Amino acid sequence: MGTSDSTSTDSTSTDRAGAAGRDRDSEGRARNARPRDGLGRPLPYGEEGVPRQPEGVVRRPEESVAEAQRLLDEGKPFHAHEVFEDAWKSGPEEERELWRGLAQMAVGLTHAARGNVTGGARLLRRGAAAAEAWAAGGGLRPHGIDLPSVIAWARELAAEVERGEGVQVDAGARAPRLRGAA
């Protein structure tokens, strides 16, 4: 079993000789250390990947929205989903469905950009439904998010993907405007 280098900035060991040949974090939990591309797909060890979004970051909701929008605009919806997931896990219970729905929409865009028509459309619709259910409680612009527009965006993109329009979805070009038109 490899040893951890105390000067390393990555808490994940890339020593493949560990238990069952799996990457492990500093607590021994399985965690894939392979580099990833902008859509979160694993790349071969040793290739240059996109820096991972740190997990478990607690941000103010407005910071989460701004960071997610930046990542979406850069064509990194997989990474934006991580930001939404952090907000979902660390935010107040009454907002969890909102953040979960946004995370699902980001993953739906990820799958659509990867060419997974069925998964992309399904997750876009599931996220839109979760956000819509949350908004039924009266929250149409939580933290400045134009929720009706984002929900409409997700449903429109799901329908386009299923019809085969723009088979290769450009994640950055098709990113939603979370706070409405720029």
Side-chain angles (χ1 to χ4, degrees):
M1 176 85 79
T3 59
S4 176
D5 179 355
S6 64
T7 61
S8 173
T9 59
D10 184 359
S11 65
T12 307
S13 169
T14 57
D15 181 356
R16 302 296 292 166
R22 298 179 78 181
D23 297 329
R24 303 262 173 204
D25 67 12
S26 59
E27 277 90 48
R29 292 181 305 245
R31 176 166 161 78
N32 192 319
R34 285 174 58 185
R36 303 227 172 217
D37 71 5
L39 292 174
R41 292 177 289 221
L43 298 170
Y45 286 99
E47 280 199 25
E48 187 71 26
V50 171
R52 288 179 183 249
Q53 190 64 29
E55 293 179 37
V57 176
V58 177
R59 301 174 181 87
R60 290 188 348 257
E62 294 76 15
E63 293 171 327
S64 293
V65 173
E67 179 66 3
Q69 186 68 69
R70 180 185 70 77
L71 292 163
L72 288 165
D73 291 345
E74 290 177 3
K76 299 175 185 170
F78 177 80
H79 302 278
H81 129 269
E82 297 286 353
V83 172
F84 290 136
E85 192 171 276
D86 284 343
W88 157 19
K89 291 178 178 178
S90 68
E93 182 69 34
E94 62 272 8
E95 290 186 359
R96 291 211 171 146
E97 281 302 298
L98 165 68
W99 297 111
R100 186 173 69 89
L102 292 167
Q104 288 173 328
M105 286 185 263
V107 173
L109 177 57
T110 300
H111 281 283
R114 290 176 176 177
N116 177 355
V117 172
T118 303
R122 185 174 293 142
L123 282 162
L124 285 162
R125 285 197 179 95
R126 186 180 303 153
E132 187 172 57
W134 183 87
L140 296 179
R141 288 199 65 87
H143 311 296
I145 301 168
D146 183 354
L147 212 44
S149 293
V150 174
I151 291 167
W153 162 85
R155 290 191 170 132
E156 288 166 16
L157 183 57
E160 287 175 26
V161 167
E162 286 179 328
R163 286 191 303 266
E165 296 174 15
V167 173
Q168 184 63 41
V169 173
D170 179 331
R174 294 308 310 269
R177 301 303 313 157
L178 298 174
R179 292 192 165 131

